[in-house]
Amino acid sequence: MRKPALFLLALLAGSSDPLLAQSSSRLPPPASLLPDSAISALAGELSGETAKRNLEFIATQHRSRGSRGWHAAAEYIVERLRAYGLKDARIESFPADGKRFYGTQRSRMPWDAEFAELWELRRRGSGWERSVRLASWDAMPVSLGEDSESGQATAPLVDVGDGTSESDYAGKEVRGKLVLAAQQPGAVQHLAVDRFGAAGIVSYALNQRTAWWGEDENLVRWGHLDSFSATPAFGFMVSLKQGRALRQRLARGEEIRLEAKVVAGQHPGAYEVITASIPGADPRLAGEEIAFSCHLDHQRPGANDNASGCVAILETARTLAKLIAEGRLARPARTLRFIWPPEVEGTLALLNGTPGLAARIRAVIHMDMVGGGPETKAIFHVTRGPGSLPSFVYDVGAAFGELVNRESAEFAGTGRARYALVSPEGGKEALQADFAEFTMGSDHEVYTEGSYRIPAIYLNDWPDRYIHTNFDTPANVDPTKLERAAFIGAASGYYLATLRAEQMPALLALLQQESLKRTAAMIERRDALDVMQAAILEMAHFASERAILSSLESFAPVPAELGREAEARLSNLERVAAPLSPRGLIGIANGRGRPVFQRAPEPKGPMTVFGYDYLEARIGAERTAALGLLRYEGLRGGGGEYAYEVLNLVDGRRTDVEIANAVSAIYGPVPVELVLNYLTALESAGVLSRVRP
């Protein structure tokens, strides 16, 4: 801890104010959120082995949205859920025809493949014969780019470098030929196939960039074509090693002739979403739901991404249902819901296609990649929601994450712990979970988006050097990690589902503890800013802390005396820790006379979804590309994150200046002009309307 944080804690400990002086002395440990009996029951029943056995089946299926592989995995999960006692488990269908919209998501038709092979040919006499099979759908489905359409070609291979700019094709004739490209097929398709008439694409695109990027030349990356292209195309994926060898041979002037055949394509169908529930016991609260979310889709094997999240919430469902049925856990007041959709698009289909569901969900525990073992190099994160949506819910997830960190470290160091959470077939090392600020990239960003404003605890591994490759296998998934992730999720969800007014003292003590930590971190950030930005940060920080306290009321009433004490403590903390705020209130323009926008009732959802950019489709690629906010790099975030939060902060009351100040406090200073230009573009797209002026 750096000096500002130490100074703050010392100042509080020595404060004459009894509320502040007690801040670091009377706080209970996070485990007190649930009684020891509940913690013991969960820790004893959860099984990493059971989770991994389920994962091993799911990983045999290539789980593209709406496909036969998806359906086989979905039916398996429904069968398991019913066997575990969740009798309402079912598959819900939402039509997907490429035209229907679910909020901001243009539905993508299901995609299936029957056959795909890519062969290198060699001369034999006056003809050619098959020599080496470079790709096979049956052997490795990831070797065929998703959304490939049927086609075949016997043609020379032409190296087009990246394949994404016109200069890559200068002086090269690719019509009717196959192109070798370093980028994803979808990025190459428009020029190579649509414009220059290539017969198909062979890509050796690398995996997502991490410290291990490009090190393993044998990885075959999951590829995608444009889901909405008017020109049918197919693309094969080969390893970096294969791609480099082909490039070298072509550079030497060697003719390489390939034979490609694909039987595949999109077809009208439906998004399928699995749901199941454990009904709440309190008639007054059973209509409120705590949701467990993951995503079932992805390539075969797709073990950590995201069979791991799927089986972790499946194991959570099994454990909670069993413990409740046996009377070892009381049935929670609120309903517990479990959801397995296609990533993002399925969640948007469910929330937009099921009237009233979003309004019933009070919080979400989302799991996306939670089982990566040592070979994956994964770091496990317990991640908060966006700065635009302050909530106590995130502190609940962090509390149980801290419990697992503490117990697993004790076990690793001594061989003894009260709740070791170790699977016989898994590792014994400490979890060492990282407690992270909001990151994007999965279904949680749909729930927390301004259309829904549902707080979500996001459990995830990052990095994972095998993500979206043929090496994302069950062998690289650790049962102990699955068990620990399931525990954090199960404990958090069960606690939220049982939360009542009488539990507020312990919860408020936890929030006080976490508020002190966040305030110390704010001071460290503030010291690197100029006076104006420092004042903005102080004001935003304490507004967020008050919103966290207010968020308790969405679950249970806070006893009046406790509420007054919490507010007094926070006010005194602000007085001590935020000396710039009074000056800032005078010095910061509040935006009088500046534009104010409000969100249109429809469409609901983020602007960038799977295979479709809602904003670009309405204002055009050229105008979208010119929006400076989308390219902006701040101190702690990039363009997509700024854009997400700017839209979330639109509430019909904030001016563009106030939105710019708020997002500056989250990710770092940003010019108000960039914010206003983006808001105006959203207005042109019909996403916003102007309140004034």
Side-chain angles (χ1 to χ4, degrees):
M1 189 177 292
R2 292 171 56 193
K3 289 182 180 178
L6 289 171
F7 172 76
L8 173 64
L9 295 178
L11 188 62
L12 294 178
S15 173
S16 60
D17 189 310
L19 291 175
L20 292 181
Q22 294 169 4
S23 292
S24 56
S25 62
R26 70 177 190 180
L27 300 177
S32 66
L33 291 183
L34 283 176
D36 286 347
S37 59
I39 300 261
S40 296
L42 290 169
E45 183 59 41
L46 287 161
S47 168
E49 280 74 29
T50 299
K52 188 160 182 181
R53 295 298 87 79
N54 287 325
L55 179 145
E56 287 165 347
F57 174 80
I58 292 171
T60 65
Q61 304 299 316
H62 191 79
R63 308 180 301 276
S64 177
R65 83 262 172 199
S67 66
R68 290 186 296 273
W70 164 278
H71 190 73
E75 286 191 319
Y76 175 83
I77 290 173
V78 168
E79 182 274 326
R80 289 287 81 208
L81 285 165
R82 290 175 179 169
Y84 296 157
L86 287 80
K87 301 304 182 184
D88 70 342
R90 62 193 183 276
I91 299 173
E92 298 189 17
S93 294
F94 301 90
D97 56 8
K99 299 176 183 177
R100 183 186 299 259
F101 276 79
Y102 293 100
T104 53
Q105 175 72 63
R106 179 181 173 184
S107 64
R108 298 195 298 165
M109 290 191 289
W111 178 80
D112 272 297
E114 300 281 349
F115 177 88
E117 285 188 348
L118 179 67
W119 286 85
E120 182 179 348
L121 305 180
R122 65 182 176 188
R123 286 190 180 276
R124 185 174 180 86
S126 60
W128 296 82
E129 68 176 8
R130 290 177 174 177
S131 172
V132 178
R133 184 164 55 190
L134 299 177
S136 165
W137 165 261
D138 287 337
M140 189 189 296
V142 73
S143 64
L144 178 66
E146 186 166 306
D147 288 326
S148 286
E149 295 288 336
S150 295
Q152 59 186 68
T154 300
L157 182 67
V158 179
D159 181 10
V160 294
D162 281 348
T164 54
S165 66
E166 291 192 20
S167 61
D168 292 329
Y169 299 86
K172 300 172 184 176
E173 177 54 59
V174 302
R175 185 168 299 278
K177 299 176 183 178
L178 297 166
V179 297
L180 178 67
Q183 298 299 317
Q184 275 278 341
V188 175
Q189 181 177 353
H190 172 65
L191 285 174
V193 178
D194 297 359
R195 183 164 179 182
F196 295 115
I201 301 162
V202 180
S203 168
Y204 55 98
L206 292 174
N207 202 21
Q208 285 152 301
R209 187 178 289 274
T210 66
W212 297 271
W213 187 78
E215 281 188 6
D216 191 335
E217 294 188 346
N218 295 302
L219 299 178
V220 178
R221 172 93 157 96
W222 188 26
H224 304 263
L225 285 94
D226 184 352
S227 300
F228 301 106
S229 175
T231 306
F234 62 80
F236 284 94
M237 306 301 297
V238 297
S239 69
L240 177 60
K241 184 176 183 178
Q242 290 172 302
R244 283 175 171 167
L246 292 169
R247 287 198 73 188
Q248 290 169 2
R249 291 168 58 193
L250 290 169
R252 292 195 299 264
E254 183 178 343
E255 180 182 7
I256 299 177
R257 194 170 185 84
L258 304 180
E259 177 186 280
K261 183 177 180 181
V262 175
V263 181
Q266 298 186 47
H267 53 85
Y271 289 124
E272 294 184 329
V273 180
I274 308 152
T275 69
S277 68
I278 298 175
D282 187 333
R284 297 168 301 170
L285 297 176
E288 300 178 8
E289 299 186 353
I290 306 300
F292 293 84
S293 165
C294 61
H295 68 83
L296 180 57
D297 58 330
H298 277 9
Q299 84 288 354
R300 190 181 87 189
N304 198 28
D305 190 16
N306 184 36
S308 66
C310 295
V311 300
I313 74 167
L314 182 58
E315 179 60 11
T316 297
R318 182 195 71 81
T319 295
L320 290 171
K322 185 171 186 286
L323 294 175
I324 291 167
E326 293 174 351
R328 290 193 282 160
L329 284 181
R331 183 174 293 276
R334 298 174 181 84
T335 294
L336 298 170
R337 181 165 299 280
F338 304 87
I339 304 169
W340 291 260
E343 188 174 17
V344 176
E345 53 192 327
T347 296
L348 278 164
L350 178 69
L351 295 181
N352 281 278
T354 309
L357 176 61
R360 297 198 301 271
I361 299 175
R362 292 293 181 266
V364 173
I365 294 92
H366 181 62
M367 302 193 195
D368 185 351
M369 302 171 62
V370 295
E375 283 298 311
T376 67
K377 309 301 182 186
I379 297 172
F380 184 77
H381 302 277
V382 180
T383 306
R384 302 179 67 82
S388 59
L389 184 58
S391 174
F392 78 94
V393 166
Y394 318 133
D395 290 328
V396 170
F400 289 110
E402 289 277 14
L403 172 62
V404 177
N405 269 2
R406 187 169 62 248
E407 294 293 312
S408 63
E410 178 70 16
F411 182 81
T414 68
R416 299 181 307 276
R418 234 179 136 187
Y419 312 114
L421 291 162
V422 170
S423 294
E425 297 178 10
K428 296 180 176 63
E429 62 275 9
L431 179 62
Q432 296 182 307
D434 175 64
F435 300 95
E437 296 300 317
F438 177 72
T439 56
M440 299 175 68
S442 196
D443 301 72
H444 64 293
E445 69 182 73
V446 176
Y447 290 104
T448 59
E449 201 268 337
S451 304
Y452 302 109
R453 297 190 62 78
I454 302 170
I457 302 165
Y458 177 30
L459 305 181
N460 66 295
D461 280 342
W462 189 256
D464 181 329
R465 63 174 176 163
Y466 298 137
I467 182 176
H468 293 181
T469 72
N470 56 320
F471 277 36
D472 183 11
T473 63
N476 291 320
V477 171
D478 177 18
T480 290
K481 187 94 161 283
L482 292 175
E483 184 172 323
R484 291 169 175 175
F487 175 85
I488 295 169
S492 300
Y494 182 75
Y495 174 79
L496 292 168
T498 58
L499 181 58
R500 294 178 180 274
E502 54 266 29
Q503 295 165 279
M504 285 296 169
L507 180 54
L508 282 166
L510 170 68
L511 298 186
Q512 176 189 342
Q513 180 186 63
E514 295 305 311
S515 181
L516 287 172
K517 293 178 184 176
R518 286 190 292 271
T519 301
M522 182 273 292
I523 291 173
E524 293 182 11
R525 285 178 51 198
R526 182 192 66 193
D527 289 351
L529 300 173
D530 63 32
V531 172
M532 182 68 74
Q533 288 298 325
I536 288 171
L537 178 60
E538 285 182 357
M539 294 168 60
H541 171 76
F542 283 100
S544 177
E545 292 302 315
R546 287 189 169 82
I548 289 172
L549 289 177
S550 297
S551 70
L552 293 167
E553 296 288 347
S554 64
F555 276 73
V558 178
E561 183 178 351
L562 283 177
R564 287 193 295 270
E565 182 178 317
E567 173 56 36
R569 183 181 294 111
L570 190 56
S571 294
N572 288 335
L573 178 61
E574 182 176 20
R575 174 178 52 80
V576 171
L580 296 175
S581 289
R583 292 204 307 274
L585 287 170
I586 297 171
I588 298 169
N590 63 11
R592 286 197 184 95
R594 299 287 300 186
V596 175
F597 299 86
Q598 64 183 6
R599 182 80 185 252
E602 297 291 342
K604 293 181 170 66
M607 290 300 99
T608 303
V609 287
F610 260 101
Y612 189 74
D613 188 311
Y614 189 90
L615 180 61
E616 181 179 305
R618 275 144 189 80
I619 69 171
E622 185 175 347
R623 184 177 174 189
T624 303
L627 292 172
L629 187 68
L630 298 179
R631 303 188 306 277
Y632 189 75
E633 290 296 326
L635 297 176
R636 291 172 304 281
E641 293 158 318
Y642 276 90
Y644 179 83
E645 287 287 52
V646 164
L647 180 55
N648 283 0
L649 289 161
V650 171
D651 62 359
R653 298 184 301 276
R654 291 186 180 98
T655 66
D656 61 338
V657 171
E658 289 169 322
I659 290 173
N661 287 343
V663 79
S664 293
I666 297 168
Y667 290 128
V670 61
V672 68
E673 293 79 11
L674 298 186
V675 171
L676 179 57
N677 288 344
Y678 185 65
L679 293 170
T680 303
L682 292 171
E683 181 184 25
S684 299
V687 175
L688 307 179
S689 61
R690 194 172 296 230
V691 177
R692 67 172 197 269

